Amino acid sequence: MTKNNTHIAYFCPSLSWGGLEMNQLRNAEWMHNRGHKVVILLQKGSRIHQEASANGISVDFVQPHKKYFDFGKAAQLIKKIKQHNITHLIVRDPKDMSVCSLAKSWSKKKFFLAYFMEMQIGIPKRDLLHTIRYSSFDLWSCPLPWLKKQVKELTRFPSEKTLVIPSGLSLDRYFNAPERQEAKTLLDLDTNKEYIGLVGRFDEQKRQLLLLESFNQIKDKIHHDLVFLGESTHGESDAYFDKLKEYVRENKIEKRVHFRPFRPDVETFYSAIDVFVMATKSETFGMVTIEAMAAGCKVVGSNQGGTVEILNHGEFGELFETGNAEDLSNKLMVSIANQDFDANAVKDEARKYDAEIVCNKVETALGI
């Protein structure tokens, strides 16, 4: 199938704006830039609608649907597929799998249905209902090998249709980030100090408090300060952020801990820090870990989820016992003291997640 007769639809009726929605948009943009005809099926007025329109990506509107057995919305989706002459439909949210499966089963127009996995499988889904639903899919793409293993163990989806294709990033901006001293100046940080850093929304799942506790244990043994880049989730309470600031005040570490608002040039943050921490309990993939590696940071990450494979079981960073502040403290000390750290080797490892490589794999998997 050539680019001229390929039309890829990215199904994303979510009103949220997180990693899943960003990945749908990012991949749509990449395929558009590579000459494919692309449309995003989304809710009118959603954040992804705004972002797609700003970036010149074609959109069409769909209504929110029930998680299961929404026959009416499946029929409406079939009309959209016929209207746009869709050849490939891409799904990333597991909540969208049912309605897309129904559309594939009923549609007289044949199209390729692909699920690009963004979330772990929580419980076994080897029952008849899930097996029938999944049978409509032509491809199940997993960003890391451990997730492919989950698919094999927890579903009956055919292994020959299950592939590992990493979630990609445009990495040039991280490879070419500002020099460290300049980055520190841009972040209004002391250029004479080194920093441990964490980027992400202020949320219990990101475990900024765990890092604060670990830092407090070793603050008198190291010269590094601690810096956070992020903000509270839009529309939600600042209670967790307030809790972090209260901990800083109670432990009298205001001069050693710095909070900076999120900024679009996140590569500047990575360039300013020496050690990056991924403290989340179990990140399915962990884009920020790859960003930090591409910027040449030392990385200390939780020993669960995708971080383990991204760091190749400790070859490209330190792994600490998830949720254990003392072990995180110890691994921070090891990372800081590591005189043999090879930033170029870490950058080279990050290159396999570059968008160009990932897009080639996606095109091969989709047969386009």
Side-chain angles (χ1 to χ4, degrees):
M1 183 173 289
T2 66
K3 292 181 180 180
N4 291 333
N5 58 14
T6 298
H7 194 180
I8 308 171
Y10 290 83
F11 189 74
C12 192
S14 170
L15 291 176
S16 300
W17 183 241
L20 186 151
E21 292 80 20
M22 292 178 186
N23 276 342
Q24 280 287 64
L25 177 60
R26 186 183 295 123
N27 280 264
E29 289 177 343
W30 290 339
M31 288 300 168
H32 171 76
N33 293 338
R34 290 167 75 92
H36 296 288
K37 193 175 181 182
V38 166
V39 64
I40 304 179
L41 303 178
L42 44 71
Q43 281 200 64
K44 188 174 183 178
S46 61
R47 177 67 182 275
I48 190 172
H49 176 202
Q50 298 168 20
E51 297 291 336
S53 298
N55 286 282
I57 303 299
S58 297
V59 303
D60 198 356
F61 305 124
V62 293
Q63 298 297 317
H65 59 81
K66 294 182 291 187
K67 186 174 181 180
Y68 302 117
F69 308 117
D70 198 330
F71 304 112
K73 296 301 188 299
Q76 292 176 16
L77 177 56
I78 291 172
K79 291 181 181 179
K80 296 290 184 183
I81 291 167
K82 183 178 180 180
Q83 175 188 340
H84 292 282
N85 195 27
I86 299 302
T87 58
H88 295 74
L89 181 63
I90 310 296
V91 184
R92 273 187 161 81
D93 192 332
K95 295 192 296 290
D96 296 332
M97 294 182 82
S98 175
V99 71
C100 291
S101 174
L102 286 172
K104 172 74 180 285
S105 299
W106 294 351
S107 177
K108 293 181 180 178
K109 175 180 168 39
K110 302 301 179 184
F111 61 90
F112 190 102
L113 179 59
Y115 174 56
F116 281 74
M117 188 180 191
E118 297 274 346
M119 303 177 187
Q120 304 176 41
I121 302 174
I123 58 174
K125 297 185 177 180
R126 298 175 62 86
D127 57 276
L128 180 61
L129 185 59
H130 280 96
T131 300
I132 293 173
R133 180 176 302 136
Y134 296 156
S135 68
S136 298
F137 284 79
D138 301 289
L139 169 69
W140 189 314
S141 175
C142 310
L144 290 168
W146 78 282
L147 292 167
K148 182 179 180 181
K149 184 179 179 182
Q150 264 201 354
V151 175
K152 180 178 180 180
E153 293 176 348
L154 299 180
T155 78
R156 297 185 185 277
F157 193 78
S159 58
E160 64 272 16
K161 294 183 178 181
T162 312
L163 300 179
V164 175
I165 303 176
S167 295
L169 286 167
S170 297
L171 295 177
D172 284 348
R173 60 189 287 202
Y174 304 100
F175 294 141
N176 301 309
E179 294 297 325
R180 180 158 295 178
Q181 296 301 92
E182 180 187 354
K184 290 176 185 177
T185 300
L186 290 170
L187 288 168
D188 194 23
L189 296 172
D190 189 336
T191 57
N192 295 314
K193 288 187 175 181
E194 296 295 331
Y195 294 89
I196 299 164
L198 188 156
V199 60
R201 70 183 185 276
F202 295 123
D203 185 287
E204 287 190 19
Q205 293 182 5
K206 299 300 180 183
R207 295 196 167 183
Q208 285 95 346
L209 183 57
L210 178 73
L211 178 54
L212 274 174
E213 293 168 350
S214 297
F215 177 79
N216 195 42
Q217 292 177 12
I218 60 173
K219 64 180 184 296
D220 296 327
K221 301 177 183 178
I222 61 174
H223 297 294
H224 286 59
D225 278 7
L226 179 60
V227 57
F228 294 101
L229 184 77
E231 54 194 27
S232 299
T233 302
H234 180 68
E236 295 187 8
S237 168
D238 287 333
Y240 187 71
F241 185 32
D242 293 339
K243 187 176 182 179
L244 298 176
K245 292 186 289 186
E246 181 181 359
Y247 183 92
V248 170
R249 286 193 300 270
E250 288 179 350
N251 289 277
K252 298 180 172 58
I253 50 177
E254 294 97 328
K255 293 183 179 180
R256 300 285 303 277
V257 178
H258 314 274
F259 294 97
R260 296 292 183 267
F262 184 80
R263 51 191 295 149
D265 60 332
V266 68
E267 66 273 12
T268 299
F269 174 78
Y270 294 117
S271 184
I273 65 175
D274 178 41
V275 181
F276 171 77
V277 178
M278 164 57 78
T280 308
K281 180 180 178 181
S282 181
E283 196 74 36
T284 303
F285 186 70
M287 289 288 196
V288 291
T289 303
I290 296 165
E291 292 172 352
M293 292 170 65
C297 295
K298 297 176 179 177
V299 177
V300 178
S302 168
N303 67 351
Q304 288 189 19
T307 306
V308 178
E309 289 190 350
I310 290 173
L311 295 179
N312 199 24
H313 304 274
E315 180 181 357
F316 298 105
E318 301 295 330
L319 294 167
F320 73 94
E321 182 182 344
T322 298
N324 187 323
E326 183 176 355
D327 193 40
L328 174 53
S329 297
N330 292 336
K331 296 302 166 53
L332 283 170
M333 295 284 287
V334 170
S335 185
I336 289 170
N338 182 5
Q339 299 297 315
D340 298 321
F341 175 71
D342 187 345
N344 288 327
V346 170
K347 288 183 176 183
D348 286 342
E349 177 65 12
R351 290 183 190 278
K352 68 184 183 184
Y353 302 101
D354 187 66
E356 186 71 19
I357 294 172
V358 170
C359 284
N360 287 335
K361 291 183 177 181
V362 170
E363 287 178 334
T364 299
L366 298 180
I368 57 179

